[in-house]
Amino acid sequence: MATMIVRSTETLPIRAEADVVMVRQKARAVATEAGLGLVDVTKLVTATSELARNALIYGGGGTALIESLQDGIRKGVRLTFEDQGPGIPDIEKAMTDGYTSGSGMGLGLSGAKRLSNDFSIHSVVGQGTRVMIARWK
Amino acid sequence: MERIPILRMGDFLLVTIQVDMHDRLAMTLQDDLTTRISKTGATGVLIDISALEIVDSFIGRMISNISAMSRVLDAQTVIVGMQPAVAITLVELGLTLPGVKTALDVEKGMQMLRVIGGGSVVPPESDGDDDRQEY
């Protein structure tokens, strides 16, 4: 981990549906620039779309931090979604396929995890949620 | 207001999605298509998604909804042109689009609609007499 370098970083707001599109497009640009293949880019951007929408709908808006990483010879992209929403009381339940507290299909969190190489989630009820994903070349 | 155009071709409606859709645009398309099917009595809907770079759970749900709603309105929907990377991602995401008809490209999709639609719009066969198969 000591060798990991953050090559670039950018924070984007998620306040409206158009912001979700912006975050997707920026994630695609950064992932492509990092040299990820088309399937990897598509997986990362799809996971990004799920998590950005979650931050907007369930978190009441938030931010997306997009980082281009270099770990030794590996290049990758990491995204961190943060909101100050109600938080998730039962993360295990929220991570279950098909479980939804809203009107979605309940695939957002579990799907985003499957589509990413690294995944972590931290949520405090009443304070908000932070989800981190990364995909490596 | 931004909208995705719906073209009419005989008994069919044709939609080509060429923009990175935000969620409301997808919902609008769903509503517009349902209205148009009902107004025109279209028997088939062809949706070309070859320009879509991702299909996430929201777009996936829209596709399933359009397919189900059109069926209830006596029309069939075929989704065509999904990029391979999108298909791989969609399945890994957990979406398999049950009940949704797909074809590789517009031509195959139109052919599928004609076959499902039955009879009236099937392309004319050859005259038959002299090239009838023998066995």
Side-chain angles (χ1 to χ4, degrees):
Chain A
M1 290 300 280
T3 58
M4 190 149 87
I5 303 163
V6 178
R7 295 168 65 234
S8 75
T9 172
E10 186 165 359
T11 304
L12 299 174
I14 306 172
R15 286 193 219 96
E17 282 177 10
D19 295 334
V20 175
V21 177
M22 277 303 295
V23 173
R24 281 204 299 248
Q25 288 172 352
K26 189 67 197 177
R28 174 176 296 277
V30 173
T32 304
E33 196 273 330
L36 269 70
L38 180 59
V39 172
D40 286 335
V41 170
T42 305
K43 287 179 178 177
L44 183 79
V45 174
T46 305
T48 296
S49 187
E50 300 294 341
L51 297 175
R53 181 182 297 109
N54 278 359
L56 178 65
I57 294 176
Y58 301 110
T63 54
L65 170 67
I66 306 176
E67 294 167 299
S68 179
L69 306 176
Q70 178 128 23
D71 185 8
I73 56 162
R74 281 202 312 172
K75 279 185 179 177
V77 180
R78 181 168 65 193
L79 286 104
T80 310
F81 300 87
E82 265 187 31
D83 66 63
Q84 280 74 52
I88 304 169
D90 188 343
I91 288 179
E92 207 174 309
K93 198 171 164 191
M95 291 295 302
T96 311
D97 268 352
Y99 173 79
T100 174
S101 62
S103 56
M105 298 188 79
L107 290 171
L109 276 180
S110 53
K113 185 180 180 184
R114 277 196 295 274
L115 293 174
S116 307
N117 295 130
D118 304 338
F119 178 93
S120 74
I121 180 165
H122 180 72
S123 188
V124 178
V125 171
Q127 288 183 27
T129 301
R130 185 177 66 237
V131 184
M132 190 274 293
I133 57 170
R135 183 112 205 150
W136 297 91
K137 191 183 170 184
Chain B
M1 189 179 144
E2 199 184 357
R3 279 199 138 80
I4 293 170
I6 301 170
L7 308 177
R8 186 173 177 186
M9 272 182 64
D11 288 336
F12 304 146
L13 300 177
L14 189 62
V15 178
T16 303
I17 302 172
Q18 286 177 329
V19 291
D20 194 347
M21 288 190 292
H22 53 77
D23 293 356
R24 198 157 16 85
L25 188 57
M27 291 306 292
T28 307
L29 175 62
Q30 187 177 306
D31 294 349
D32 286 353
L33 253 180
T34 321
T35 310
R36 282 291 290 277
I37 293 169
S38 158
K39 267 193 187 148
T40 60
T43 59
V45 178
L46 187 131
I47 303 177
D48 174 20
I49 60 165
S50 57
L52 273 192
E53 291 178 317
I54 64 156
V55 172
D56 62 11
S57 64
F58 194 88
I59 304 292
R61 186 161 59 125
M62 178 205 74
I63 289 172
S64 291
N65 283 354
I66 287 175
S67 184
M69 288 168 186
S70 65
R71 206 173 302 127
V72 173
L73 293 169
D74 198 21
Q76 299 294 328
T77 297
V78 178
I79 305 295
V80 306
M82 185 183 292
Q83 293 179 17
V86 172
I88 293 167
T89 303
L90 195 63
V91 172
E92 200 160 324
L93 177 65
L95 280 178
T96 50
L97 304 181
V100 176
K101 292 186 180 62
T102 56
L104 277 183
D105 54 36
V106 174
E107 199 175 331
K108 291 196 174 77
M110 290 300 276
Q111 199 178 354
M112 190 184 255
L113 283 179
R114 286 192 201 102
V115 171
I116 303 166
S120 63
V121 267
V122 173
E125 303 274 337
S126 65
D127 299 278
D129 302 284
D130 39 17
D131 53 286
R132 185 165 292 167
Q133 275 195 341
E134 311 225 2
Y135 48 87

